[in-house]
């Protein structure tokens, strides 16, 4: 099976519990892959000093060699090693994998709280990861490690969204089967993710291309089909002849395919469609209860676009001006403006257009339809674009006033929205107003915001107000003087009574176009009988319907999908009737497999059902779902739709799949500096270029740039201001940073820490490779604080420099303030400020003479979610025999969070001479000793006799001097 090919070979699990295997046993069993930095003490105890020293050297050499082999022989040796991460990190990654440290058992103790944290699983492209990808993965890993240590059962899986157009196009270009390239890409992604130490349960790894997985994607489709939520219809689609497939609106930019830049046209095709509109109200209403970014919820509300209004019929007039049998139905949210409708607009693809267009205008209408077919829906409805249209040559009657109004064709009206036709009210709609002015169509104002005469309007007024110019004795409709809302109700009541229309709720949301004319996707489990064309779903017992092997998966050029070339696969027999049939040759879109993968992670090996009910009831919903804001609408909306269907049929127990969604910010490439040039090739300042409209630019290396005030300028000529800009990482801009390079030079823990330290998790940030050195130095300082300074040969001594003594109050206070801050900031996903708190702790700890074990051990546990490799290494050096992955996360003691010091005024002979800082409840003798040692106060006391001391705890210390020879410090 493909699944087994996707996994790297794992060792057999040890006989002990996954995190109970002692390090001594592990080191003894696998010492040849473990460096001396971790196992010196254990190694000596088992092998003796002489033997161990030789083994130690061998292990270090082996670790370095293995790292070189993994990263590639052509890479440079790391040059900045503030600590031996090159030995530590590969070793602990092997340990976690061999001991299945992060495996979530199939049967967990359900009396414990659960935490399901999930990344939006990646599409494994051939380019591999860049440093922007690990931002979200690191955040979820910190949360997963944190919750494990707090006693939660944690589900933290990873998988691959592996079907789709990019793999198919690459396969066509190279002649390589997409299964081969996809499998290779997955292996690379997996290797990169493992090199960063993420605590995924790799035994739950899934891929959408595995038949064991898409069997259940097909099963869900059959449930949709049973309930009338999947159907076929002929609809206008974005057809790309070069790619040979239908494209989604978001895959079309400026009339060409996003991938390859090929021309795209609109053409009608029979397609599979999912009836997501049946769930529109529930998708809208249930948003209110979700802990999602408000911006994401608002985007979904706008995408669904629920509105209340009316459908109104306008009768088409024949060439003699008489009413024909044809009627155009329009949907309007403003029936109160019906008297202002001075023309109708049909979408170019409207079904009635061909029957009503005049002979004179026919040629122009056909030309316009051809042009419109090359535009995407987004392009057609973009407000900034100039409106275009053509007169149909026909007229319709406005039912409100009986007037004949022209019928136009314009692409700003979509055939897929509403009825594909609108009544245009140019006085009260910006688009209609622009169109009417361009084509000299009458404009009639029918709504006024106050009592202003409608003739005073020059710009369209889209708001509500009082109705004017809206009465007809012919039709019997009079709404003059009414408010917009009252008028709208009266118009609807009149339309229903006169059979001219009805009240209607409408949605912008369209049913989901589900079919793709591609090879690399899930087969749709449906066939069609040869004799009758009857649609026959594949019996569930026959699933999965596997994708056939094809050597030629190029587009057919006819609109037929590539699967039609698999003749022996297409020709089949209906298993129920025994009749010959033909399989469906379109495949599912890439969205299909990603709609429900979060459920499969709960029970990935189940061959009998999509997910076990008990497991689903325990793990649902996903507690934290992290991914890019670009998936705010489609992926999240489609997932919610499928989840609600599964809820209705009893497969899942929750109404929503994701409790909390977090969008991480984008990591932009390093800042690029551009100098502007004039026509002669001379540098000119950026503000001058903006004035002159100069376009020529030259990229300037960072070493030739300096900052002057708010701007960047040329070092050699500070009068030349530069353009400084960071862009999204892309190959074309040459600003992609490979995380493998960063890990090789600084280590995975440094990369993890830097990505979290760059700024707030949800904000966009600019990558700066030099910035990683700061967190790398912090880790180096942490290492030396606990392990000690390196020996002259660069190695580190065994163990640590911690002591077993009791900590001071100051040390406890520093620790517990750090615990409190780190805990609060992880809970709030404010990871950068949590790191700042740990840096402050290390700064304070460097001032201590001794470092008590209890303090240092607690700090190592705090560090572990962020820098797990170093933390595991230090934990073992501190003498522990099991992984810290399931140790209890420290809890702050409120006693040490209070500010227990106070400022105590000190008087000499009743005159204020200064203050000292003392602990609350400080004894008189301690307060006096502090005053005596204070430089500002001691000059008043040195050599003087003291008559008495007056001490009010927390209030004041007054020292009364005496001329008699009284020893200083006594009463």
């Amino acid at each position: 099976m493909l699944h087994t090919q996707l996994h790297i070979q794992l060792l057999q699990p040890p006989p002990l519990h996954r995190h109970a295997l002692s390090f001594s046993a592990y080191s003894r069993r696998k010492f040849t892959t473990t460096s001396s930095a971790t196992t010196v003490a254990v190694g000596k105890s088992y092998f003796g000093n002489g033997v161990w020293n030789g083994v130690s050297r061998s292990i270090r050499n082996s670790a370095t060699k293995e790292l070189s082999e993994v990263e590639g022989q052509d890479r440079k040796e790391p040059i900045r090693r503030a600590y031996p991460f090159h030995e530590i990190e590969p070793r602990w990654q092997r340990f976690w994998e061999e001991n299945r440290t992060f495996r979530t058992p199939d049967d967990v103790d359900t009396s414990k709280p659960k935490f399901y944290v999930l990344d939006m699983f990646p599409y494994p492209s051939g380019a591999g990861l860049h440093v922007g990808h690990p931002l979200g993965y690191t955040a979820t890993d910190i949360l997963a490690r944190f919750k494990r240590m707090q006693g939660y059962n944690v589900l933290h899986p990873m998988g691959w969204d592996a079907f789709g157009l990019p793999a198919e196009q690459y396969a066509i270009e190279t002649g390589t089967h997409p299964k081969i390239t996809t499998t290779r890409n997955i292996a690379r992604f997996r290797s990169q993710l493992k090199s960063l130490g993420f605590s995924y349960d790799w035994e739950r790894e899934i891929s959408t291309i595995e038949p064991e997985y898409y069997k259940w994607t097909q099963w869900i489709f059959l449930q949709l089909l049973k309930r009338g939520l999947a159907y076929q219809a002929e609809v206008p689609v974005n057809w790309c002849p070069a790619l040979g497939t239908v494209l989604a609106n978001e895959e079309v930019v400026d009339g060409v395919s996003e991938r390859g830049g090929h021309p795209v046209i609109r053409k009608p095709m029979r397609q599979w469609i999912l009836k997501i509109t049946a769930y529109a109200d529930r998708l809208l209403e249930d948003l209110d209860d979700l802990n999602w970014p408000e911006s994401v919820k608002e985007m979904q509300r706008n995408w669904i676009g629920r509105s209340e209004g009316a459908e109104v019929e306008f009768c088409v007039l024949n060439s003699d001006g008489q009413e024909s049998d044809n009627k155009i139905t329009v949907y309007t949210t403003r029936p109160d403006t019906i008297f202002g409708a001075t023309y109708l607009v049909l979408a170019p693809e409207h079904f009635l257009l061909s029957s009503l267009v005049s002979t004179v205008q026919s040629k122009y209408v056909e030309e316009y339809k051809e042009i419109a077919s090359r535009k995407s829906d987004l392009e057609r409805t973009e407000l900034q674009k100039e409106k275009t249209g053509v007169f149909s040559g026909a007229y319709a009657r406005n039912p409100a006033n009986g007037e004949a109004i022209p019928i136009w064709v314009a692409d700003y009206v979509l055939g897929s929205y509403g009825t594909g036709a609108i009544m245009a009210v140019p006085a009260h709609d910006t688009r209609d107003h622009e169109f009417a002015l361009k084509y000299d169509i009458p404009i009639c104002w029918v709504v006024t915001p106050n009592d202003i005469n409608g003739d005073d309007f020059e710009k369209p007024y889209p708001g509500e107000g009082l109705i004017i110019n809206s009465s007809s004795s012919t039709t019997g409709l009079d709404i003059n003087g009414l408010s917009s809302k009252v008028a709208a109700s009266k118009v609807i009541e009149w339309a229903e009574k006169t059979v001219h229309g009805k009240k209607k709720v409408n949605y912008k949301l369209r049913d989901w176009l589900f079919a793709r004319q591609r090879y690399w996707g899930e087969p749709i489990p449906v066939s069609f009988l040869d004799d009758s064309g009857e649609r026959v779903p594949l019996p569930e017992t026959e699933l999965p319907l596997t994708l056939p092997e094809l050597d030629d998966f190029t587009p057919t050029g006819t609109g037929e999908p590539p699967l039609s070339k698999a003749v022996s696969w297409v020709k089949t027999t209906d298993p129920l009737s025994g009749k010959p049939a033909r399989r469906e040759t379109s495949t599912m879109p890439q969205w299909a497999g990603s709609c429900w993968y979060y459920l499969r992670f709960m029970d990935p090996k189940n061959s009998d059902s999509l997910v076990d009910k008990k497991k689903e009831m325990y793990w649902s919903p996903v507690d934290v779902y992290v991914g890019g804001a670009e998936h705010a609408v489609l992926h999240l909306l489609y997932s919610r739709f499928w989840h609600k269907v599964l809820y209705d049929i009893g497969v899942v127990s929750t109404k929503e799949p994701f409790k909390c969604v977090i969008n991480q910010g984008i990591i932009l490439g390093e800042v690029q500096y551009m100098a502007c040039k004039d026509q002669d090739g001379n540098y000119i300042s950026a503000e001058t270029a903006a004035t002159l409209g100069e376009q020529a630019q030259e990229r300037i290396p960072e070493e030739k740039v300096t900052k002057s005030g708010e701007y960047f300028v040329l070092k050699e000529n500070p009068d030349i201001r530069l353009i400084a800009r960071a862009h999204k990482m892309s190959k074309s801009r040459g600003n992609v940073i490979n995380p493998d390079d960063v890990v090789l030079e600084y280590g995975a823990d440094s990369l993890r820490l830097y990505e979290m330290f760059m700024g707030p998790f949800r904000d966009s940030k600019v990558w700066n490779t030099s910035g990683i050195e700061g967190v790398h130095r912090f880790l180096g300082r942490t290492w030396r604080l606990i392990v000690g300074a390196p020996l002259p040969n660069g190695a580190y001594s065994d163990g640590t420099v911690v002591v077993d003594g009791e900590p001071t109050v100051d040390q406890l206070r520093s620790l517990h303030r750090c615990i409190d801050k780190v805990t609060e900031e992880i809970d709030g996903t404010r990871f950068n400020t949590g790191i700042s708190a740990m840096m402050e702790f290390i700064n304070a700890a460097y001032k201590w003479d001794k470092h008590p074990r209890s303090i240092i051990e607690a700090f190592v546990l705090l560090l572990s979610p962020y820098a797990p490799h170093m933390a595991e290494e230090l934990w073992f050096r501190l003498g522990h025999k099991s992984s810290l992955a399931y140790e209890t996360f420290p809890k702050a003691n409120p006693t040490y969070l209070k500010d227990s010091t106070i400022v105590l005024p000190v008087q000499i002979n009743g005159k204020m001479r200064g203050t000292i800082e003392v602990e609350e409840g400080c004894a008189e003798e301690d307060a006096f000793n502090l005053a005596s040692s204070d430089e500002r106060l001691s000059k008043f006391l040195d050599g003087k006799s003291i008559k008495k001391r007056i001490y009010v705890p927390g209030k004041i210390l007054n020292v009364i001097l005496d001329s008699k020879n009284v020893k200083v410090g006594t009463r």
Side-chain angles (χ1 to χ4, degrees):
M1 290 296 182
L2 183 59
H3 180 78
T4 57
Q5 297 172 3
L6 295 178
H7 284 273
I8 63 173
Q9 185 64 37
L10 297 177
L11 295 180
Q12 288 298 314
L16 300 178
H17 190 261
R18 68 186 182 281
H19 55 274
L21 178 67
S22 73
F23 286 123
S24 56
Y26 170 73
S27 301
R28 184 175 48 183
R29 181 169 61 85
K30 288 288 178 187
F31 72 89
T32 54
T33 59
T34 310
S35 88
S36 59
T38 299
T39 58
V40 169
V42 174
K44 286 183 177 179
S45 69
Y46 280 100
F47 302 104
N49 287 351
V51 175
W52 175 253
N53 289 338
V55 171
S56 174
R57 286 192 296 274
S58 172
I59 291 168
R60 281 199 298 272
N61 293 338
S62 174
T64 303
K65 180 175 181 294
E66 287 180 19
L67 182 63
S68 175
E69 289 172 352
V70 170
E71 302 297 345
Q73 297 293 340
D74 57 338
R75 297 201 187 272
K76 295 180 180 179
E77 187 71 8
I79 57 175
R80 296 179 181 86
R81 287 184 183 155
Y83 66 99
F85 63 84
H86 61 297
E87 297 181 9
I88 294 170
E89 293 180 355
R91 174 171 63 253
W92 285 106
Q93 289 163 20
R94 285 192 297 270
F95 177 86
W96 294 329
E97 184 167 321
E98 293 172 11
N99 292 279
R100 308 163 79 196
T101 304
F102 305 114
R103 178 178 176 267
T104 303
D106 291 330
D107 297 314
V108 296
D109 179 1
T110 56
S111 66
K112 294 173 63 177
K114 65 92 179 179
F115 185 71
Y116 185 1
V117 57
L118 183 64
D119 301 290
M120 292 185 183
F121 70 171
Y123 178 83
S125 70
L129 298 174
H130 62 63
V131 293
H133 295 118
L135 179 67
Y137 304 153
T138 303
T140 58
D141 194 58
I142 290 171
L143 291 170
R145 290 175 178 274
F146 174 63
K147 290 296 184 179
R148 282 191 200 98
M149 298 173 77
Q150 287 190 321
Y152 286 74
N153 288 323
V154 172
L155 184 57
H156 186 38
M158 176 51 72
W160 318 103
D161 189 10
F163 275 129
L165 184 60
E168 182 162 327
Q169 282 305 112
Y170 182 80
I172 292 171
E173 293 165 7
T174 62
T176 310
H177 197 282
K179 182 188 293 184
I180 296 172
T181 56
T182 303
T183 303
R184 182 175 63 223
N185 295 344
I186 286 174
R188 173 164 169 73
F189 264 64
R190 187 193 303 111
S191 174
Q192 287 184 297
L193 291 176
K194 287 188 174 184
S195 75
L196 295 172
F198 297 133
S199 61
Y200 295 124
D201 179 358
W202 286 106
E203 293 183 42
R204 291 177 181 262
E205 179 184 9
I206 59 176
S207 172
T208 56
I209 64 174
E210 300 167 4
E212 298 90 342
Y213 178 84
Y214 68 70
K215 165 185 177 179
W216 298 105
T217 309
Q218 293 172 336
W219 182 87
I220 295 172
F221 177 84
L222 292 177
Q223 311 316 304
L224 293 164
L225 191 61
K226 285 180 186 177
R227 286 155 182 80
L229 297 171
Y231 63 95
Q232 283 186 299
E234 188 169 277
V235 294
V237 297
N238 299 315
W239 171 253
C240 179
L243 297 178
T245 187
V246 171
L247 299 178
N249 286 333
E250 64 276 5
E251 295 171 324
V252 181
V253 180
D254 295 329
V256 298
S257 62
E258 185 179 34
R259 182 174 179 84
H262 304 294
V264 175
I265 62 173
R266 298 281 287 180
K267 67 180 269 188
M269 291 183 68
R270 190 162 183 80
Q271 297 287 308
W272 282 100
I273 300 171
L274 300 188
K275 201 171 183 179
I276 189 173
T277 52
Y279 282 73
D281 282 329
R282 288 168 63 181
L283 289 167
L284 192 63
E285 293 163 3
D286 292 345
L287 281 171
D288 295 338
D289 299 327
L290 296 177
N291 180 18
W292 289 19
E294 194 56 42
S295 60
V296 172
K297 294 200 286 187
E298 193 59 27
M299 287 174 70
Q300 291 212 0
R301 291 188 185 104
N302 292 336
W303 190 267
I304 295 168
R306 185 183 190 276
S307 62
E308 294 185 2
E311 278 188 351
V312 182
E313 290 184 344
F314 287 70
C315 192
V316 178
L317 304 180
N318 59 28
S319 58
D320 296 327
Q322 302 299 312
E323 293 186 359
S324 69
D325 293 334
N326 280 339
K327 290 184 172 64
I328 296 173
T329 303
V330 304
Y331 171 76
T332 177
T333 59
R334 293 293 302 275
D336 57 310
T337 65
I338 190 169
F339 281 91
T342 57
Y343 65 104
L344 295 182
V345 181
L346 302 189
E349 56 271 36
H350 195 282
F351 73 98
L352 280 179
L353 184 56
S354 59
S355 64
L356 59 83
V357 65
S358 70
T359 304
V360 174
Q361 292 297 109
S362 177
K363 174 185 175 183
Y364 305 109
V365 170
E366 289 302 315
E367 289 175 350
Y368 187 79
K369 287 170 63 177
E370 172 65 21
I371 294 170
S373 72
R374 295 178 182 156
K375 297 181 183 180
S376 70
D377 288 356
L378 184 62
E379 290 176 287
R380 287 171 56 174
T381 57
E382 193 173 350
L383 292 177
Q384 291 80 3
K385 294 213 171 187
E386 182 181 0
K387 302 298 173 289
T388 63
V390 62
F391 178 44
S392 71
Y395 291 81
R397 193 176 305 284
N398 185 330
N401 55 22
E403 295 181 3
I405 58 176
I407 302 171
W408 284 74
V409 184
D411 63 8
Y412 75 88
V413 176
L414 301 178
S416 59
Y417 177 65
T419 63
I422 66 166
M423 66 174 205
V425 185
H428 304 290
D429 182 275
T430 303
R431 297 178 310 169
D432 297 345
H433 188 266
E434 180 186 335
F435 191 91
L437 288 178
K438 182 174 180 178
Y439 294 105
D440 196 24
I441 301 173
I443 299 173
C444 176
W445 274 267
V446 294
V447 182
T448 177
N450 297 303
D451 294 325
I452 302 173
N453 190 302
D455 295 335
D456 294 336
F457 287 117
E458 293 184 0
K459 295 181 179 179
Y461 173 66
E464 296 182 347
L466 294 177
I467 304 300
I468 59 174
N469 302 326
S470 298
S471 176
S472 171
S473 57
T474 304
T475 64
L477 180 60
D478 181 2
I479 55 175
N480 275 333
L482 300 178
S483 69
S484 291
K485 288 185 178 178
V486 174
S489 297
K490 187 170 183 179
V491 169
I492 293 172
E493 182 182 343
W494 168 85
E496 291 179 337
K497 185 176 181 180
T498 59
V499 199
H500 285 302
K502 60 182 178 180
K503 186 175 183 179
K504 178 74 173 178
V505 175
N506 205 15
Y507 301 88
K508 288 183 181 177
L509 179 68
R510 301 294 89 205
D511 279 344
W512 176 6
L513 182 62
F514 195 67
R516 295 292 185 271
Q517 283 64 54
R518 301 174 187 163
Y519 166 68
W520 195 235
E522 297 95 335
I524 295 175
V526 171
S527 59
F528 301 89
L529 297 181
D530 287 353
D531 59 359
S532 64
E534 180 187 350
R535 183 185 68 206
V536 180
L538 188 70
E540 294 176 13
T541 54
E542 299 290 316
L543 298 177
L545 174 60
T546 56
L547 198 63
E549 293 290 341
L550 268 184
D551 295 327
D552 178 14
F553 30 78
T554 57
T556 61
T558 64
E560 280 288 305
L563 272 182
S564 63
K565 298 178 181 180
V567 178
S568 61
W569 181 85
V570 173
K571 292 182 177 180
T572 186
T573 301
D574 173 28
L576 296 180
S577 67
K579 294 180 179 181
R582 290 178 57 84
R583 297 192 194 279
E584 171 63 65
T585 53
S586 291
T587 53
M588 298 186 195
Q590 187 174 354
W591 303 108
S594 63
C595 271
W596 70 280
Y597 72 104
Y598 60 93
L599 292 171
R600 193 59 177 173
F601 278 136
M602 301 174 187
D603 194 14
K605 304 296 191 298
N606 194 330
S607 59
D608 298 322
S609 63
L610 185 150
V611 63
D612 178 80
K613 285 182 180 280
K614 290 183 179 179
K615 292 177 180 177
E616 185 278 327
M617 290 180 68
Y618 178 71
W619 288 113
S620 287
V622 175
D623 294 283
V624 175
Y625 193 32
V626 174
E630 65 271 19
H631 301 296
V633 175
L634 296 181
H635 163 60
L636 289 175
L637 196 65
Y638 293 158
S639 294
R640 294 180 63 220
F641 165 47
W642 276 32
H643 190 89
K644 289 181 182 299
V645 174
L646 293 174
Y647 175 78
D648 288 348
I649 64 177
V651 174
V652 299
S653 59
T654 63
K655 292 182 179 180
E656 289 286 337
F658 313 118
K659 183 178 180 181
C660 172
V661 167
I662 299 175
N663 298 136
Q664 80 270 21
I666 298 172
I667 293 184
L668 303 173
E670 293 188 285
V671 174
Q672 295 180 352
Y673 304 96
M674 307 298 293
C676 299
K677 289 183 172 183
D678 62 18
Q679 293 181 349
D680 298 326
N682 301 313
Y683 290 135
I684 56 175
S685 196
E687 70 273 19
T688 304
T691 303
L692 299 176
E694 300 288 348
Q695 297 298 321
Q697 295 182 357
E698 177 184 325
R699 186 169 176 179
I700 304 298
E702 188 175 2
E703 59 269 18
K704 294 184 178 182
V705 177
T706 187
K707 192 164 188 187
S708 176
E710 298 180 7
Y711 303 103
F712 292 93
V713 298
L714 280 175
K715 279 185 180 178
E716 60 185 25
N717 185 357
D719 291 333
I720 303 298
R721 187 193 300 175
L722 305 175
I723 299 172
R725 188 175 299 151
H727 301 273
K728 188 174 181 179
M729 289 188 183
S730 68
K731 282 184 178 180
S732 61
R733 292 192 180 275
N735 63 350
V736 173
I737 305 295
N738 189 330
D740 298 350
D741 298 330
V742 180
V743 170
L744 185 65
E745 187 164 356
Y746 296 100
D749 284 344
S750 291
L751 175 59
R752 292 168 59 111
L753 226 62
Y754 177 57
E755 297 219 346
M756 295 297 97
F757 192 59
M758 291 171 71
F761 177 58
R762 293 164 175 80
D763 293 356
S764 293
K765 298 162 278 285
V766 177
W767 178 268
N768 184 349
T769 300
S770 61
I772 200 171
E773 295 177 359
V775 295
H776 190 60
R777 285 194 297 272
F778 161 67
L779 289 175
R781 295 186 75 220
T782 301
W783 175 263
R784 293 188 298 275
L785 177 81
I786 299 172
V787 174
L791 300 172
N793 64 0
Y796 289 89
S797 59
D798 303 351
T800 66
V801 295
V802 301
V803 298
D804 290 325
E806 288 295 318
T808 66
V809 173
D810 281 342
Q811 290 171 333
L812 288 168
R813 186 175 293 118
S814 292
L815 171 67
H816 285 274
R817 286 178 176 173
C818 185
I819 293 172
D820 183 61
K821 186 67 172 177
V822 171
T823 303
E824 180 183 356
E825 301 307 78
I826 293 179
D827 271 329
T829 63
R830 297 179 293 270
F831 305 109
N832 56 320
T833 47
I835 296 171
S836 295
M838 290 189 284
M839 289 179 170
E840 291 174 10
F841 173 86
I842 290 297
N843 289 339
Y846 261 92
K847 299 174 183 177
W848 304 340
D849 293 331
K850 295 180 180 179
H851 299 90
R853 177 179 300 277
S854 60
I855 298 291
I856 298 302
E857 286 185 346
F859 176 77
V860 169
L861 294 177
L862 288 182
L863 180 66
S864 64
Y866 288 88
H869 306 90
M870 174 180 278
E872 289 275 25
E873 180 78 11
L874 294 173
W875 190 248
F876 180 48
R877 280 174 164 261
L878 288 164
H880 295 278
K881 303 302 181 185
S882 60
S883 169
L884 55 65
Y886 295 86
E887 292 291 328
T888 301
F889 199 81
K891 292 183 180 179
N893 186 334
T895 302
Y896 299 111
L897 302 180
K898 299 175 183 176
D899 191 356
S900 59
T901 61
I902 60 172
V903 176
L904 184 71
V906 179
Q907 295 180 345
I908 308 295
N909 289 334
K911 187 174 183 179
M912 176 68 71
R913 294 297 187 182
T915 61
I916 56 174
E917 191 172 294
V918 300
E919 294 286 334
E920 269 189 69
C922 177
E924 178 183 334
E925 193 66 28
D926 292 334
F928 179 75
N929 289 336
L930 286 170
S932 300
S933 61
D934 186 279
E935 291 183 4
R936 298 166 299 170
L937 299 172
S938 60
K939 60 185 179 181
F940 298 105
L941 299 175
D942 287 348
K944 306 290 176 59
S945 298
I946 295 176
K947 182 177 180 180
K948 65 177 180 178
R949 297 196 302 250
I950 301 171
Y951 180 61
V952 180
K955 300 294 184 182
I956 196 167
L957 171 64
N958 187 7
V959 182
I960 308 299
L961 303 178
D962 192 352
S963 57
K964 295 181 180 180
N965 188 18
V966 179
K967 185 178 180 181
V968 174
T970 61
R971 290 185 183 273

